[in-house]
Amino acid sequence: NAGVTQTPKFRILKIGQSMTLQCAQDMNHNYMYWYRQDPGMGLKLIYYSVGAGITDKGEVPNGYNVSRSTTEDFPLRLELAAPSQTSVYFCATWAREAFFGQGTRLTVV
Amino acid sequence: AQSVTQPDIHITVSEGASLELRCNYSYGATPYLFWYVQSPGQGLQLLLKYFSGDTLVQGIKGFEAEFKRSQSSFNLRKPSVHWSDAAEYFCAVGHMEYGNKLVFGAGTILRVKS
């Protein structure tokens, strides 16, 4: 079992570019989440999904979009990247506890 | 609104000394409670969790936490700290009623001095 796999691990984007952060899980968990982590702020929820075809906004959704066409995959899309989106992004699943991926470190310059 | 407060941004303890990290929460119901640890550049590792039952919870690496409903607290403790415990610690709360979304505290950075 790979658990929760995030790709890429690192990425540098220019302002205005777009990209998709990938998240895949092999645990057949219905609940999936995207968090961003900024120094001194803990983790903030961006979007979440309770199952394939169902997504909802979290605390900080602006500038992001998600889709959930399968149970396994939950990609996070950044359109028109801004410096404020420089952060570490974590994908997670839930089954009596949260299982986290290793994170994607994104820098927007 | 749900919130988690970790009052201490940084804590420094001597190796071998005891440790207590504080966590207070504001939530609509008695939430599930978690402590995670993160080493620099790494992901989050679950130390322990509380759902119900015995309010003293044992976790990995010798950590324990006590849920106190009257104080809305879930403090993390360790009787003797090791240098390898230096990391950032996050308290988090969630509940099925709220989609199991976790609300995190801002974190406490633990430094261990020899």
Side-chain angles (χ1 to χ4, degrees):
Chain A
N1 273 358
V4 180
T5 303
Q6 291 183 236
T7 55
K9 289 185 170 50
F10 302 95
R11 183 72 185 267
I12 299 174
L13 275 184
K14 293 184 179 178
I15 294 171
Q17 287 185 321
S18 62
M19 75 164 294
T20 299
L21 281 67
Q22 301 290 345
C23 176
Q25 56 114 346
D26 61 0
M27 298 176 286
N28 202 34
H29 291 168
N30 285 323
Y31 290 82
M32 295 188 74
Y33 309 84
W34 274 106
Y35 293 90
R36 60 176 287 171
Q37 182 181 23
D38 301 296
M41 303 291 289
L43 280 75
K44 302 292 186 185
L45 182 66
I46 305 171
Y47 270 94
Y48 70 104
S49 169
V50 301
I54 306 169
T55 63
D56 206 349
K57 296 177 180 178
E59 190 179 358
V60 290
N62 291 345
Y64 307 94
N65 276 300
V66 294
S67 59
R68 184 93 181 274
S69 56
T70 66
T71 299
E72 293 77 21
D73 299 299
F74 190 40
L76 178 71
R77 178 82 177 164
L78 279 72
E79 305 282 2
L80 297 174
S84 61
Q85 294 178 304
T86 293
S87 188
V88 181
Y89 292 83
F90 287 99
C91 178
T93 68
W94 171 272
R96 296 281 291 176
E97 67 179 77
F99 296 85
F100 286 89
Q102 286 301 299
T104 295
R105 186 174 296 273
L106 175 67
T107 302
V108 182
V109 296
Chain B
Q2 300 92 9
S3 66
V4 177
T5 301
Q6 293 181 246
D8 304 303
I9 298 173
H10 297 98
I11 282 186
T12 301
V13 299
S14 298
E15 193 169 14
S18 63
L19 171 70
E20 183 170 29
L21 302 182
R22 295 181 290 163
C23 173
N24 293 93
Y25 65 88
S26 173
Y27 209 78
T30 298
Y32 311 147
L33 297 153
F34 306 85
W35 276 99
Y36 286 87
V37 62
Q38 185 182 38
S39 297
Q42 301 299 310
L44 286 91
Q45 181 181 24
L46 180 68
L47 285 176
L48 45 78
K49 60 185 176 183
Y50 173 81
F51 282 82
S52 63
D54 191 345
T55 56
L56 186 62
V57 181
Q58 301 298 320
I60 63 171
K61 303 185 179 188
F63 285 92
E64 67 177 26
E66 186 172 13
F67 168 55
K68 293 185 177 180
R69 185 190 305 272
S70 62
Q71 298 176 19
S72 297
S73 69
F74 189 56
N75 294 349
L76 182 71
R77 301 193 293 248
K78 187 170 184 178
S80 178
V81 169
H82 188 262
W83 65 267
S84 61
D85 293 324
E88 190 163 16
Y89 292 79
F90 294 95
C91 180
V93 304
H95 199 278
M96 186 173 59
E97 285 187 21
Y98 299 97
N100 297 315
K101 297 174 287 184
L102 290 184
V103 177
F104 283 82
T108 297
I109 296 172
L110 173 64
R111 299 188 179 116
V112 180
K113 60 181 181 181
S114 56

